[in-house]
Amino acid sequence: MDVAPAPATTFTTLVNFRDVGGVPGLDGRTVRRGRLYRSDSPHRMDDVDQAAFRALGIRTVVDLRRPSEVSRDGRIPEYAGLVYRHIHPEHPLWEETPYTEDLGLARYLADRYHDLAEIGAAGLAAAIEVIADAAAAPLLVHCVAGKDRTGVVCALTLSLLGVADDAIAADYALSAEASARLSEWLATILPDTTPVPAPFLACPAEAMRLFLTELRDRHGSVQRYLLGAGLDPSRIDALRAHLLN
């Protein structure tokens, strides 16, 4: 399934920014645009990009990075009216499970997302709790590259909104368009890793389809998984009320 691109918002210091709205959800309703954005880390924004960012009216930024990554790179520049939430879903370092080509990218990535979902369940639920708050919108959720931790949070959110797995996977795969620029950036912050390992940049749609299918196999449904992770049931109704037309 194709995902229609959101209206263009051009940044020079953000390479993987987009609106996740515009796709069909529950009961024929559509996920609203201009309410939930996803991105790579916005700490690098220059003055021009900061002005364009503020013009979107973003009220809340949910930063999913590890504390060490925040310390290394810094956070989004502050401005009046912005609420910054650092929520770190615990998960193992990917280097602890090196990628091998015989496993394949989709399987490797899906396994890493399961690690995140099992170990970082409370953090994922906490991030969606913030996204469900209408007063927090418009909201940006980000990690380092904006494809893995951000991809999982957005996938779980969209699933709660009734978006089909194919559309969720298609949105996830859009991060491939930023891979060249992400590679250049990662090479500067990870100078001892050359070349950048394939999973750091890859986002095949099949990885997200595998993850969502297997998460349901393990927990019954995405909703049951998140409720088990501590998400208040009322937050699901709130999420749908403000993110679906």
Side-chain angles (χ1 to χ4, degrees), residues 13-47:
T13 54
L14 291 177
V15 301
N16 198 20
F17 180 97
R18 62 185 176 276
D19 188 331
V20 302
V23 290
L26 287 171
D27 303 322
R29 300 160 72 188
T30 301
V31 180
R32 295 176 64 187
R33 291 203 186 276
R35 303 290 287 176
L36 176 61
Y37 299 94
R38 59 181 293 175
S39 180
D40 51 311
S41 179
H43 71 275
R44 299 174 295 127
M45 287 196 296
D46 59 18
D47 291 344

Side-chain angles (χ1 to χ4, degrees), residues 20-180:
V20 302
V23 290
L26 287 171
D27 303 322
R29 300 160 72 188
T30 301
V31 180
R32 295 176 64 187
R33 291 203 186 276
R35 303 290 287 176
L36 176 61
Y37 299 94
R38 59 181 293 175
S39 180
D40 51 311
S41 179
H43 71 275
R44 299 174 295 127
M45 287 196 296
D46 59 18
D47 291 344
V48 173
D49 279 356
Q50 287 183 51
F53 187 89
R54 289 194 297 270
L56 294 173
I58 292 173
R59 297 177 181 174
T60 308
V61 169
V62 174
D63 183 346
L64 302 172
R65 294 175 298 164
R66 297 177 185 275
S68 60
E69 292 168 332
V70 178
S71 297
R72 179 190 69 199
D73 298 329
R75 47 153 286 182
I76 184 172
E78 296 183 41
Y79 61 84
L82 179 70
V83 175
Y84 172 77
R85 297 289 303 272
H86 180 219
I87 299 173
H88 169 224
E90 298 282 347
H91 58 290
L93 291 167
W94 284 22
E95 292 84 349
E96 295 174 4
T97 310
Y99 170 68
T100 58
E101 290 189 6
D102 61 319
L103 189 62
L105 284 170
R107 180 72 268 163
Y108 179 85
L109 288 164
D111 287 346
R112 302 291 71 71
Y113 301 158
H114 284 305
D115 290 344
L116 173 63
E118 296 305 315
I119 298 170
L124 295 176
I128 293 173
E129 187 101 11
V130 179
I131 294 170
D133 182 0
L139 179 147
L140 171 75
V141 59
H142 78 87
C143 51
V144 174
K147 78 173 186 75
D148 298 311
R149 290 163 287 192
T150 299
V152 169
V153 167
C154 288
L156 297 175
T157 299
L158 290 172
S159 185
L160 288 178
L161 296 174
V163 177
D165 284 3
D166 282 350
I168 294 172
D171 171 70
Y172 162 79
L174 289 175
S175 290
E177 298 176 7
S179 61

Side-chain angles (χ1 to χ4, degrees), residues 196-211:
V196 176
F200 281 54
L201 299 173
C203 45
E206 182 59 21
M208 187 54 69
R209 282 193 290 264
L210 269 175
F211 167 69

